[in-house]
Amino acid sequence: MIDPSVITGIGVVSPIGIGKKVFWNALIRKTSGIKEITKFDTTPYLCRRAAEITGFPFEDFITGQRFRRAADISRYAIGAVTLAIEDAGLKELNNRTSLIMGITHGAMNMSREFHRGLVSGDGASPMLFSDSVLNAPAGNVSVCFGIKGASHTLVGGGPIGIRAIGFASDLLTTKRADIVIVGGAEEFDEVVHHSYSRFGYLCKGNELSPFDINRNGFVMGEGAGVLVLERKKDALKRGARIYAEVSGWDVGFSLNRSDEAMAKIMGKTLDKGGVEPDLIGYISSGANGSSLDYLETGAIKKLFKKAPAPFIGSIKPDIGEAFSATTILQAVSASLVMESRMIPPNINLSTTHPEWHGLSIPIEVVKAPPIKAVMVNSIGIEGTCASLVMKRLEV
Amino acid sequence: MIRQGKEATRRRVVITGMGIVTAFGAGKTENLNGLKNGTGAIGKINSFDVSQYRGKTGGEIRDFVFNLSLKTLRPSRLDRASKLLLTAFAEASFEAGFADNGIKEETIVVLGTTLGGMASGERFYRDWLKKGFNKTKPSLLLDYLAHYQGMHLIEENNLDAEVIIISNACASGTNAIGYAFDRIRSGDVDIAIAGGYDTMCEFTFAGFNSLMAVTPDLCRPFDRNRDGLILGEGVGIIIMEDLEHALSRKAKTVGEITGYGESSDAFHMTRPDPDGSGAALAMERALEDADIKPRDVEYINAHGTGTPYNDLSEAKAINSVFGKHAMDIPVSSIKPMIGHLLGGAGAVEAIATTLAMNNRFLPMNLNYEISDPECPVNVVTCAAQRDVRTAISNSFGFGGANATVVMQKFEVPKVKNSSFQL
């Protein structure tokens, strides 16, 4: 008998607010965290905006000096884990608790400063080194909260957020862990902004609006999203609040950049989750205005040909593109869609791009009928495709 | 997507192909000879200027020639890590019988790495800090990302695969094998490509030096005078398969993985927990997972970095897990011979352990001279003839990640009337 994983806790550190309530209200109230960049001089760039986190009240979360000095990415992760643990009502973390972090670029700020030390001849800093490695956020979280089950750092683009949720669920199924804290975190840094700018991925002057006819790229974001996962039986037994069941997922690669691969992955995700397409009430789209968005559009059109078209939304105009962190926050918002029966509006959208014609992309809040299942999609710029299906628990 | 635990399925996970590149050279033959002869491959580092560092040596792959003829990728654009990975995969896939037609079925590629394409990252940072942002090549930043080497592997080999990159510092390679093991044993996939890699980079060399973790002398794990590790570089790739799947396609089976365990110290970012409890938990879990008793283990391929802290806590953990049997079990670390391969360590050491079992010897713990009463383990001081059927390999990493894999010498099942028919 399969005992599925369920989400019992949510933690959010985002450019539109800290905590799931503030985050959700901001989405509903059409707030965007995208503003003029404050972290560095933007004169050389066409894109001068990003969704930064400003005034993060880290002291509210952590008192230890050690973690106060950690890189932003680790601090965001610690903040979001604190909130998720609290939300799940977990009293004790032990050696049956695991941690999975999805990371894309890691602590670029400290990595850059470490290299500056090497190039300038000032020498290497041990603190910068241990905090700039890819598994530093997971290491910091594990030490900070005493998580003695395995802690894993998975590396990839946006889709790694979905893989991390899948990996976490696998650990529960194989009973290698009883509770898994799974998150994504990223920090905004000039190196990354510069590079995506040079690749031509970033918006040139206009707003991030992936479904709009004038879409022309994304803007960077930062933050952390964290979920607490448990086996359904355990969660019911301890009377935990259950946001959603993590029913199915699939990740793959589109070698030839065709929507067939994404359609296959979304189809397998529905199959594995035992969900018919007509059960899906909302799709949290991974579209970010970049050149691979059509993979998802084509796949949605293929898969939902017969079913009533689900509502589609992207939270990236609100919080920017922070890859793995954004994908986990997509899962957060999709869970909250089922709970609140409200579809957050797509901001910045004035004229829908022909690619998305015929699909249901609301620009105002929709009070929806009960939504039984939701889908979260993500596509990496390198061609990785991922899809996740979550179900509302029957009560 | 794993749907059931090990209780529900009885699938066995075997190794059908292995590929390896280390300071010993490229390929299993070079590495087997190196391991058997017990001659170290550590030398003065050539790839960057080491004059300002405390340690000056490492296990570099010298004279590495990338001579695969590529169908899709352009070799001039590849990071060293991608080249190593493609080379090891070609060897593993040849051994597993996929040289002609490739792997056609859906598979997963699970790789451990700490640095990804850091050689490209370093070039990017250097160009930028010395010449300014606009003189950099942004493509270097893509090659720097740790998921691009795996992507190159599936692109070049036209694999229908998901790439899963695990970056748990020095435990990464063993974690990768462990996750692939779970996916196959549970019936989720029939075949997986698992392993790990890292290249010699000034970033890590400077970093480990700044932590005073690199020895200016020799790496001597478990020795009383040990004073640090030596970095190396390399890659290990293994093709793992469901036994029935391997038999059905008449593949040669070279080893078996029977258990895996993992844990975290939650103690310190760069130091292991001195009581060794996290490491012990990983080993206990691996034995339980393999359904064997401590006395069944006949060889321990230690993480054995040669740092005072690691070896102390590993020795404590071994004693706590194996109790009165602890001194009966031979223990060795191959790191004094080829260096610490970070993300590549777990995979390369799993391959070394399999090679040793198949060739009936115990790899030696080079440079070990004076026993340390604080580290009471049965160190293998010279490459000895020995028939080993069950071994474990440990990997412990910064950030407190611990992982242990249990390996079994492969024997054709003797059960009659089963589906195991050759």
Side-chain angles (χ1 to χ4, degrees):
Chain A
M1 186 61 205
I2 294 164
D3 189 9
S5 309
V6 293
I7 298 173
T8 57
I10 288 174
V12 175
V13 170
S14 84
I16 53 171
I18 315 298
K20 64 169 190 207
K21 266 194 194 133
V22 185
F23 171 72
W24 178 249
N25 288 337
L27 286 178
I28 293 295
R29 289 183 194 138
K30 304 185 179 179
T31 318
S32 176
I34 299 172
K35 298 190 169 64
E36 293 293 317
I37 290 167
T38 62
K39 288 196 176 179
F40 50 86
D41 174 22
T42 57
T43 322
Y45 304 110
L46 282 171
C47 178
R48 294 177 180 179
R49 289 157 72 80
E52 293 175 329
I53 292 175
T54 44
F56 177 57
F58 192 68
E59 304 69 36
D60 294 1
F61 295 103
I62 296 299
T63 47
Q65 272 298 325
R66 168 67 187 81
F67 303 107
R68 283 191 187 188
R69 287 180 303 158
D72 280 348
I73 186 171
S74 290
R75 290 154 39 110
Y76 299 154
I78 289 172
V81 170
T82 308
L83 292 167
I85 289 174
E86 199 179 282
D87 189 43
L90 298 178
K91 303 249 159 19
E92 189 201 357
L93 304 180
N94 58 27
N95 68 26
R96 301 278 309 156
T97 308
S98 273
L99 170 74
I100 314 290
M101 289 300 300
I103 299 291
T104 302
H105 299 100
M108 293 306 278
N109 192 340
M110 289 203 171
S111 191
R112 179 166 47 95
E113 287 314 304
F114 183 87
H115 284 278
R116 193 193 294 281
L118 290 188
V119 172
S120 68
D122 290 347
S125 148
M127 170 73 194
L128 287 176
F129 177 62
S130 60
D131 247 56
S132 66
V133 293
L134 285 163
N135 69 321
N140 276 312
V141 168
S142 155
V143 174
C144 184
F145 296 93
I147 296 170
K148 294 195 168 194
S151 52
H152 291 290
T153 297
L154 308 182
V155 189
I160 207 67
I162 290 174
R163 167 40 61 208
I165 293 172
F167 199 110
S169 186
D170 284 348
L171 287 185
L172 292 169
T173 308
T174 54
K175 300 212 167 59
R176 290 200 184 275
D178 294 334
I179 290 168
V180 187
I181 294 165
V182 53
E186 277 297 292
E187 65 179 38
F188 178 58
D189 187 78
E190 187 174 3
V191 172
V192 179
H193 183 83
H194 173 86
S195 307
Y196 286 98
S197 168
R198 289 271 294 279
F199 292 129
Y201 279 115
L202 299 186
C203 289
K204 296 147 199 83
N206 46 356
E207 299 287 353
L208 167 53
S209 182
F211 308 122
D212 197 274
I213 193 153
N214 292 320
R215 67 179 184 197
N216 68 356
F218 56 81
V219 303
M220 308 297 304
E222 63 178 342
V226 169
L227 306 170
V228 173
L229 260 57
E230 298 170 67
R231 285 181 293 269
K232 186 172 155 187
K233 257 186 219 149
D234 298 346
L236 289 172
K237 200 168 152 194
R238 73 171 185 100
R241 167 193 189 160
I242 296 175
Y243 288 94
E245 173 191 302
V246 176
S247 313
W249 62 89
D250 197 53
V251 189
F253 194 74
S254 177
L255 280 174
N256 59 0
R257 305 287 189 269
S258 85
D259 58 12
E260 287 294 337
M262 185 60 182
K264 186 178 142 203
I265 280 155
M266 280 164 54
K268 277 165 66 183
T269 299
L270 290 169
D271 273 359
K272 288 175 177 178
V275 175
E276 294 295 325
D278 61 2
L279 226 56
I280 301 287
Y282 174 71
I283 297 177
S284 178
S285 163
N288 60 9
S290 71
S291 58
L292 288 184
D293 285 0
Y294 71 92
L295 297 185
E296 187 186 357
T297 333
I300 290 176
K301 286 183 173 169
K302 283 192 170 85
L303 248 84
F304 294 91
K305 223 184 284 173
K306 287 181 195 139
F311 292 108
I312 296 172
S314 168
I315 59 169
K316 293 179 185 179
D318 304 77
I319 61 168
E321 178 63 277
F323 308 101
S324 56
T326 304
T327 309
I328 298 284
L329 291 175
Q330 283 177 247
V332 167
S333 68
S335 307
L336 297 176
V337 161
M338 286 197 283
E339 188 171 81
S340 66
R341 298 185 188 176
M342 282 201 282
I343 309 290
N346 283 286
I347 60 172
N348 302 342
L349 176 59
S350 37
T351 310
T352 308
H353 192 285
E355 203 174 286
W356 293 90
H357 277 177
L359 298 170
S360 183
I361 305 172
I363 55 169
E364 295 298 335
V365 178
V366 179
K367 292 210 164 76
I371 289 177
K372 290 191 174 135
V374 290
M375 175 179 261
V376 175
N377 292 328
S378 183
I379 292 171
I381 56 165
E382 76 290 349
T384 306
C385 299
S387 186
L388 167 75
V389 165
M390 300 187 292
K391 274 194 276 201
R392 179 109 180 110
L393 227 58
E394 304 293 341
V395 273
Chain B
M1 177 176 169
I2 296 179
R3 290 162 186 276
Q4 49 196 358
K6 68 165 177 167
E7 306 83 20
T9 115
R10 303 177 63 180
R11 286 175 34 129
R12 289 172 62 180
V13 181
V14 294
I15 300 173
T16 52
M18 306 193 289
I20 183 169
V21 189
T22 70
F24 279 141
K28 290 183 287 282
T29 312
E30 296 275 329
N31 279 276
L32 177 61
N33 290 339
L35 288 167
K36 263 186 162 169
N37 297 340
T39 44
I42 304 297
K44 184 163 183 290
I45 288 190
N46 284 332
S47 38
F48 47 86
D49 176 18
V50 289
S51 53
Q52 57 172 320
Y53 298 109
R54 181 168 173 256
K56 315 229 181 276
T57 56
E60 285 177 302
I61 304 164
R62 289 166 199 271
D63 318 316
F64 171 62
V65 187
F66 182 69
N67 52 13
L68 288 180
S69 57
L70 300 182
K71 294 181 219 94
T72 310
L73 303 169
R74 274 193 294 161
S76 61
R77 291 203 46 192
L78 293 175
D79 187 88
R80 183 172 173 87
S82 294
K83 291 179 184 167
L84 291 176
L85 192 56
L86 288 165
T87 305
F89 176 75
E91 186 192 6
S93 132
F94 179 81
E95 187 180 25
F98 292 115
D100 295 336
N101 301 315
I103 300 174
K104 293 285 171 237
E105 59 237 274
E106 199 178 311
T107 178
I108 52 171
V109 177
V110 195
L111 299 171
T113 183
T114 66
L115 302 169
M118 182 57 91
S120 301
E122 284 186 338
R123 272 177 62 200
F124 177 88
Y125 283 122
R126 263 170 216 288
D127 290 349
W128 161 52
L129 292 164
K130 285 185 172 159
K131 304 177 205 157
F133 256 155
N134 293 325
K135 301 285 182 204
T136 58
K137 259 175 73 184
S139 66
L140 287 174
L141 208 87
L142 286 183
D143 286 333
Y144 171 22
L145 293 174
H147 51 294
Y148 268 63
Q149 298 82 47
M151 191 188 73
H152 287 149
L153 179 69
I154 62 172
E155 272 185 321
E156 178 57 32
N157 293 283
N158 200 20
L159 299 172
D160 180 7
E162 177 193 355
V163 178
I164 301 159
I165 302 299
I166 303 184
S167 191
N168 298 344
C170 317
S172 310
T174 303
N175 292 132
I177 294 171
Y179 184 63
F181 170 69
D182 274 353
R183 292 282 293 268
I184 296 174
R185 183 169 61 171
S186 67
D188 185 35
V189 291
D190 292 329
I191 185 160
I193 296 149
Y197 61 94
D198 264 320
T199 53
M200 183 65 78
C201 289
E202 192 169 1
F203 172 78
T204 27
F205 194 79
F208 279 98
N209 266 285
S210 74
L211 292 164
M212 302 299 280
V214 179
T215 174
D217 186 24
L218 297 169
C219 169
R220 38 177 103 245
F222 304 108
D223 186 287
R224 195 165 70 197
N225 294 327
R226 69 186 182 279
D227 63 352
L229 54 80
I230 286 202
L231 287 167
E233 62 176 346
V235 55
I237 290 291
I238 62 179
I239 312 250
M240 293 163 64
E241 269 182 87
D242 163 42
L243 173 63
E244 301 236 12
H245 185 269
L247 293 176
S248 74
R249 63 177 193 89
K250 297 188 169 53
K252 187 183 81 179
T253 298
V254 295
E256 178 168 7
I257 294 177
T258 54
Y260 169 69
E262 55 185 20
S263 74
S264 299
D265 280 357
F267 177 74
H268 187 269
M269 284 297 279
T270 56
R271 273 207 324 267
D273 189 339
D275 73 8
S277 58
L281 184 60
M283 283 188 260
E284 280 160 10
R285 284 178 168 170
L287 299 185
E288 194 194 323
D289 195 41
D291 209 4
I292 58 171
K293 299 272 173 276
R295 64 169 181 275
D296 297 328
V297 174
E298 294 163 325
Y299 168 61
I300 299 174
N301 182 270
H303 186 56
T305 57
T307 62
Y309 289 122
N310 173 81
D311 299 358
L312 185 66
S313 71
E314 186 168 10
K316 273 192 184 164
I318 289 172
N319 278 281
S320 117
V321 174
F322 295 94
K324 60 180 196 293
H325 301 291
M327 287 310 285
D328 301 336
I329 307 171
V331 175
S332 69
S333 161
I334 64 166
K335 289 185 175 77
M337 294 192 263
I338 56 169
H340 187 347
L341 275 49
L342 307 175
V348 160
E349 289 162 20
I351 292 173
T353 304
T354 306
L355 288 175
M357 284 198 283
N358 291 347
N359 292 279
R360 302 182 166 178
F361 74 100
L362 297 171
M364 73 184 285
N365 192 96
L366 192 66
N367 303 331
Y368 181 85
E369 285 167 359
I370 305 167
S371 67
D372 179 355
E374 304 263 301
C375 291
V377 288
N378 177 11
V379 177
V380 183
T381 50
C382 60
Q385 287 282 317
R386 179 77 72 96
D387 242 331
V388 170
R389 279 160 305 155
T390 308
I392 65 168
S393 178
N394 288 334
S395 293
F396 312 125
F398 275 12
N402 307 305
T404 298
V405 63
V406 182
M407 279 167 297
Q408 189 84 31
K409 186 168 179 178
F410 181 75
E411 279 151 23
V412 179
K414 288 185 186 120
V415 190
K416 282 179 187 168
N417 304 326
S418 81
S419 52
F420 303 125
Q421 281 166 1
L422 284 165

